[in-house]
Amino acid sequence: MPAQPASSSSPSNGAALTSSWRRVDEPLTTPLPGTVLVTGVCGFIGSHLALALLKRGVAVVGVDARPVNACPLTSGQLRRLYDYSGFRLLTAKVADPEVANALYGVDTVVHLAAATDVAASWGAGFSAHATSVLETQRLLDGCASQQVPRVVVASSSHVYGPACGGIAREDQPVEPTSPYGVSKLAAERLALAYARRPGSTLNAVALRFFTAFGPGCNPAMVVPRLFNAACTGQAMPLFGDGNALHTWTYVSDLVDAVIRAAEVPMRAGSTEVVNVAGADQASLIQVADLVGEITGRRVALEPYGERAGDAAGTRADLTRAGRVLGFVPQVRLREGLVRMWQHMSSDPSPSSGTSASTSVV
């Protein structure tokens, strides 16, 4: 029998749980003044972040190459953004001149836009990831020219690899095992280089996101695929033995960390690299068991052997996140899965994540 996931009272990644947690939708008390430009605003994390910022009275310039209605997973969330007078959508690629012009007067840039398919990053598929790196450089050039004070860049736990020995700390050597991981490392290092350049007025925070899930996430991601397997009875491909431990992160915790990264006091030219993850560590098999318990339906897994580029077990150490950002994850793994199942059950359409998918992020 596989080991049980971490209990709800004993996180093992340096996260000091509070005795009284905030509600997921409760805003932070510290105001974040000014204007925030969010790239990838039509995506999973971007749409949640933009709404959270607008609820706090922050003006948001959303940038995305896709129109609002391009993704049925997030279109409903995006339509809610237009309820706020402080929201403006710029339909453009990150490297387009319109984006550089839109940076004038912006206080913080949160750069989320990037190619995300790990499996497709090999071979010809790397062109999308190379484009993401180039767009990051062009965006940083614009930030430097327009003297944007703060850039928050989304990195990934995929930068670690086997060198971390299972427990990933920011001061450890990085060893990405996929072209995707290499591209994320390049993006974060570009941000740090621009901030550290002599005479720079910029400071930068690179957030290394660990496995994310929540309403609106891509159905090709692992958690919605587990729910899909439960709903359809179709087996989900299992790469590896499924026993490696990972840290699972609900989207509201990611949003919380991004906002904290945007408002933490920093001097011009300074940088931070910080892990962002949930409190619970569990293997894919353990998460599949939890999904089965929540849905009342067994999740079938079909072994497919090893796959190039898949991250080994990476468990986040959150000591630095707590010290630098005051970040403490609020949503436990089971609670987040229940919330996601409730969302999917209220919208049982193919776009809700209950349709079959063969790719993995």
Side-chain angles (χ1 to χ4, degrees), residues 140-185:
L140 290 164
D141 250 358
C143 290
S145 297
Q146 300 285 17
Q147 296 189 321
V148 175
R150 174 72 50 87
V151 173
V152 180
V153 174
S155 185
S156 168
S157 62
H158 280 263
V159 305
Y160 285 112
C164 73
I167 304 294
R169 295 193 308 273
E170 299 88 343
D171 58 356
Q172 291 176 319
V174 289
E175 189 181 349
T177 57
S178 69
Y180 166 77
V182 171
S183 71
K184 298 306 288 185
L185 181 58

Side-chain angles (χ1 to χ4, degrees), residues 84-209:
Y84 296 85
S85 60
F87 178 69
R88 179 165 67 95
L89 178 65
L90 179 57
T91 303
K93 296 180 180 179
V94 172
D96 286 350
E98 303 95 300
V99 176
N101 294 334
L103 291 169
Y104 178 77
V106 166
D107 299 281
T108 301
V109 168
V110 179
H111 182 37
L112 302 173
T116 58
D117 195 328
V118 179
S121 66
W122 299 94
F126 183 69
S127 60
H129 298 267
T131 298
S132 293
V133 175
L134 179 60
E135 289 184 335
T136 299
Q137 186 270 333
R138 297 287 171 79
L139 178 67
L140 290 164
D141 250 358
C143 290
S145 297
Q146 300 285 17
Q147 296 189 321
V148 175
R150 174 72 50 87
V151 173
V152 180
V153 174
S155 185
S156 168
S157 62
H158 280 263
V159 305
Y160 285 112
C164 73
I167 304 294
R169 295 193 308 273
E170 299 88 343
D171 58 356
Q172 291 176 319
V174 289
E175 189 181 349
T177 57
S178 69
Y180 166 77
V182 171
S183 71
K184 298 306 288 185
L185 181 58
E188 73 168 55
R189 292 297 169 87
L190 276 169
L192 304 189
Y194 268 83
R196 292 167 178 166
R197 187 166 57 169
S200 172
T201 59
L202 183 70
N203 52 60
V205 182
L207 299 179
R208 293 175 176 171
F209 293 163

Side-chain angles (χ1 to χ4, degrees), residues 1 16 64 66-67 76-77 119 122 125 130 136 138 169 172 183 210 241 249-250 255 259 268 296 307 348 353:
M1 176 181 296
D64 209 298
R66 302 162 291 184
Q77 174 104 330
W122 299 94
T136 299
R138 297 287 171 79
R169 295 193 308 273
Q172 291 176 319
S183 71
F210 284 67
D241 63 11
T249 316
Y250 193 69
V255 168
I259 294 175
R307 185 176 59 172

